[in-house]
Amino acid sequence: MIKKLTSVSSLAAIVAGVLCFGLTSCDNKGGGSASGGGAGDANKEDHAFEFPKPEFAGTPIPAQGIPNLEPAGTPPKLKWKLTKGATNLAKGKPVEYKGSPSIGEAKQITDGDKAGQDGSFVELGIGLESITIDLGASASIDAVLVWHTHKQTGLVMKDVIVEISDDAAFTTSKQIYNCDDDNSAGKGAGKDYSWVQTNHGRLMDAKGAKGRYVRLWSNGNNVDELNRYTEVEVWGTAAK
C-alpha cells in the first residue's frame, strides 16, 4: 500500500480547502461536488451545512503511502440536496466504542462541537477501530458528514468505511463509503478517496440508505496509528 506521493499534492489540497471556506458553492471538478444528492427530486431541497472555522496549525504533513488520495484542488462539498424535513438525527445520540478513549469521551462525537481545538476531539485506540451511532429508530438517510480532526494540517485518516444497518450486529448492512483500497480492514476493497482533513469534514452521499445504526471505521492516519473523531452528523428523516 506504500506509494510515495509528493507533498505538493497535499499542500495544494489544503490551499483549495482554504480558498473555498465560507463559500456556498465551488466549481465541481474532480468529483468533489459542492452540491448534489437527488438533484431532480422534487421532494429534496438544498441544505447549506454549518462548518467550524479553519485551524490549519503547524507545518503541513506530506501525504505519503496514500495511493487513493483525493486529487489536489478538488473543492469540498458545502451543501447537499436533502429530503424535505431532514434533520441531523445523530445529534445527542449515544455512541458505542468498545474501549476507553485516551482523550475525551465517545459521547462528544455527537455533541454538536465541531471545532478543531483541543478538547473538541476524541482520540481512540491504535489500528483498526470502529464507533457505532444508535439513531434510536430506523431512518432514511441522505448524507453523513464526518469530521475526524482538523487541527493538524495535512492529516489523512486511513481506511475510512461507513456502513448503515437496521441490525445492531450489522449482520446485513449497506456501505456508503469505503476508501480502503487494499481491503486491509477486511470489509472489502473500496474505491472512494482518502482526503486531507480540513474544517469541511467529509460529506458522504448515503443515497437514501435505511437503518438505525451507523458504524464508522478507520485505521490510523499518515502520522501515527491513532484514530480521532470530532463530530459525526447523520442527515435524514424517519423511515416510512
Side-chain angles (χ1 to χ4, degrees):
M1 183 175 174
I2 303 299
K3 294 182 182 178
K4 187 174 182 180
L5 302 179
T6 64
S7 60
V8 174
S9 296
S10 301
L11 290 169
I14 295 166
V15 171
V18 174
L19 292 176
C20 272
F21 175 73
L23 300 177
T24 56
S25 65
C26 290
D27 194 19
N28 178 19
K29 295 179 180 180
S33 79
S35 179
D41 192 337
N43 194 40
K44 292 183 180 290
E45 56 189 3
D46 278 338
H47 178 86
F49 296 93
E50 295 182 4
F51 298 96
K53 69 177 184 179
E55 295 292 338
F56 305 125
T59 303
I61 303 163
Q64 296 179 339
I66 314 293
N68 59 338
L69 187 66
E70 185 171 64
T74 302
K77 296 183 180 76
L78 304 177
K79 62 181 180 179
W80 199 251
K81 285 191 177 294
L82 302 179
T83 302
K84 292 179 180 179
T87 60
N88 175 19
L89 301 170
K91 180 69 178 294
K93 294 302 192 330
V95 180
E96 178 187 359
Y97 169 60
K98 295 179 180 179
S100 298
S102 55
I103 296 177
E105 299 178 82
K107 65 181 181 181
Q108 291 176 248
I109 297 171
T110 57
D111 67 356
D113 180 4
K114 299 175 267 193
Q117 304 167 352
D118 290 343
S120 295
F121 68 85
V122 178
E123 187 172 271
L124 308 182
I126 64 173
L128 184 64
E129 294 278 5
S130 70
I131 61 168
T132 303
I133 301 171
D134 182 355
L135 302 177
S138 186
S140 180
I141 301 171
D142 293 315
V144 175
L145 185 51
V146 182
W147 289 265
H148 285 280
T149 178
H150 55 95
K151 179 182 178 181
Q152 192 170 13
T153 307
L155 202 68
V156 178
M157 300 301 295
K158 296 180 179 180
D159 301 342
V160 176
I161 301 169
V162 180
E163 51 187 348
I164 296 169
S165 178
D166 258 324
D167 170 16
F170 282 76
T171 304
T172 59
S173 63
K174 178 178 180 178
Q175 280 189 8
I176 66 165
Y177 204 90
N178 184 340
C179 67
D180 177 12
D181 70 294
D182 60 358
N183 194 27
S184 56
K187 305 290 290 183
K191 296 182 179 180
D192 293 307
Y193 286 128
S194 296
W195 69 98
V196 176
Q197 300 287 313
T198 72
N199 60 305
H200 293 117
R202 189 64 167 190
L203 182 58
M204 303 169 178
D205 185 2
K207 300 181 177 69
K210 290 182 171 60
R212 171 175 171 171
Y213 304 94
V214 180
R215 180 167 289 172
L216 301 96
W217 298 84
S218 59
N219 196 8
N221 59 77
N222 58 330
V223 175
D224 54 44
E225 295 185 84
L226 291 166
N227 298 276
R228 301 177 182 92
Y229 284 89
T230 298
E231 190 74 12
V232 175
E233 296 180 349
V234 179
W235 291 85
T237 56
K240 297 180 180 179

